[in-house]
């Protein structure tokens, strides 16, 4: 808005360009994030791909999964990946020839969040999410155990953390650091100050 100050002689002395402080409520560029469980599924896929690569041309496999209670949800993920790769899963003690024995282990998982940071004034609080999957696998023909330590990182909205974690699976949960104290009080202070300045300027102009 533009306000002109007019003196008694009718001459416009100067103009004051006054822009009201407006808060635009725009959708965040960070849409609702993929769940932590889906991230772990993707990492299990990557670990299985490593296994498949090391299997080479082997067609028949005797698959032993050591996932414990926590990670048993990934059992069919591993089986399905092997089947789609053209591997035939045979039972323990099968008399079929050229059977390769596999022992696949997941022994740890990690979910970490960085300290939240404000995405600019009045922006969302964001945190870097780090998800790790650790384990190993043994292939009888190779006579060796190979470890895997897979990591994925991305940036998510702090408000999404409660949504992306699954209470049914504790390993999908992590500890989110508290929002910085000064950042948490800065926005209300700025908003109140801006509103106060706007009102003062508005009535100052009206009174002249």
């Amino acid at each position: 808005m533009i306000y002109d100050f007019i003196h008694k002689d009718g001459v416009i002395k100067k103009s004051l360009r006054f822009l009201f402080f407006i808060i635009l409520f725009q959708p965040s560029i960070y849409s609702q994030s993929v769940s932590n469980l889906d991230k772990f599924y993707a990492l299990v896929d990557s670990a299985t791909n490593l296994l498949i690569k090391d299997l080479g041309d082997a067609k028949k496999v005797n698959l032993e999964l050591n996932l414990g209670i926590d990670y048993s949800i990934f059992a069919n993920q591993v089986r399905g990946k092997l089947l789609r790769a053209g591997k035939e899963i045979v039972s323990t003690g099968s008399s079929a020839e050229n059977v390769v024995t596999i022992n696949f282990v997941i022994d740890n998982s990690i979910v970490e969040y960085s300290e939240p940071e404000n995405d600019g004034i009045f922006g969302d609080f964001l945190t870097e999410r780090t998800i790790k999957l650790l384990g190993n696998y043994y292939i009888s023909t190779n006579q060796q155990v190979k470890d895997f330590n897979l990591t994925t990182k991305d940036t998510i909205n702090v408000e999404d953390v409660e949504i992306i974690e699954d209470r049914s699976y504790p390993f999908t949960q992590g500890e989110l650091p508290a929002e910085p104290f000064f950042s948490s009080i800065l926005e209300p202070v700025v908003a109140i100050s801006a509103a106060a300045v706007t009102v003062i300027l508005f009535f100052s102009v009206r009174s002249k």
Side-chain angles (χ1 to χ4, degrees), residues 158-175:
V158 168
E159 293 182 354
D160 288 342
V161 169
E162 187 174 353
I163 300 173
I164 62 177
E165 295 184 340
D166 193 323
R167 293 187 179 182
S168 298
Y169 301 103
F171 68 85
T172 67
Q173 301 173 25
E175 184 175 351

Side-chain angles (χ1 to χ4, degrees), residues 27 63 69 77 83-84 107 127 145 172 176 181 185 202 205:
L63 178 63
I69 297 176
Q77 182 81 358
L83 292 173
R84 288 190 296 272
D107 53 26
T127 180
V145 176
T172 67
L176 178 66
F181 175 74
I185 67 173
F202 176 77
V205 169

Side-chain angles (χ1 to χ4, degrees), residues 102-141:
I102 301 170
N103 186 267
F104 186 90
V105 179
I106 296 177
D107 53 26
N108 198 13
S109 64
I110 298 171
V111 175
E112 295 178 336
Y113 304 108
S114 67
E115 181 177 307
E117 295 185 1
N118 201 310
D119 187 23
I121 296 179
F122 301 106
D124 295 329
F125 274 98
L126 307 177
T127 180
E128 183 179 67
R129 169 176 60 175
T130 301
I131 293 182
K132 297 180 181 180
L133 183 74
L134 298 87
N136 59 77
Y137 56 84
Y138 166 80
I139 301 176
S140 60
T141 52

Side-chain angles (χ1 to χ4, degrees), residues 22-140:
I22 301 175
I23 303 174
L24 297 178
F25 293 94
Q26 298 178 339
S28 172
I29 59 173
Y30 298 91
S31 58
Q32 184 172 325
S33 305
V34 175
S35 72
N36 289 354
L37 183 58
D38 284 336
K39 287 286 187 178
F40 276 117
Y41 271 122
L43 292 180
V44 171
D45 270 348
S46 297
T48 310
N49 283 335
L50 295 174
L51 169 64
I52 291 171
K53 181 179 179 181
D54 284 341
L55 279 172
D57 296 331
K59 297 297 182 184
K60 297 180 181 180
V61 297
N62 172 23
L63 178 63
E64 299 173 356
L65 294 173
N66 290 328
L67 307 179
I69 297 176
D70 291 337
Y71 311 119
S72 59
I73 187 176
F74 300 123
N76 285 342
Q77 182 81 358
V78 178
R79 294 187 185 103
K81 193 75 174 177
L82 288 168
L83 292 173
R84 288 190 296 272
K87 310 302 181 183
E88 178 185 352
I89 301 176
V90 301
S91 60
T92 302
S94 172
S95 59
E97 296 181 356
N98 301 319
V99 175
V100 177
T101 298
I102 301 170
N103 186 267
F104 186 90
V105 179
I106 296 177
D107 53 26
N108 198 13
S109 64
I110 298 171
V111 175
E112 295 178 336
Y113 304 108
S114 67
E115 181 177 307
E117 295 185 1
N118 201 310
D119 187 23
I121 296 179
F122 301 106
D124 295 329
F125 274 98
L126 307 177
T127 180
E128 183 179 67
R129 169 176 60 175
T130 301
I131 293 182
K132 297 180 181 180
L133 183 74
L134 298 87
N136 59 77
Y137 56 84
Y138 166 80
I139 301 176
S140 60

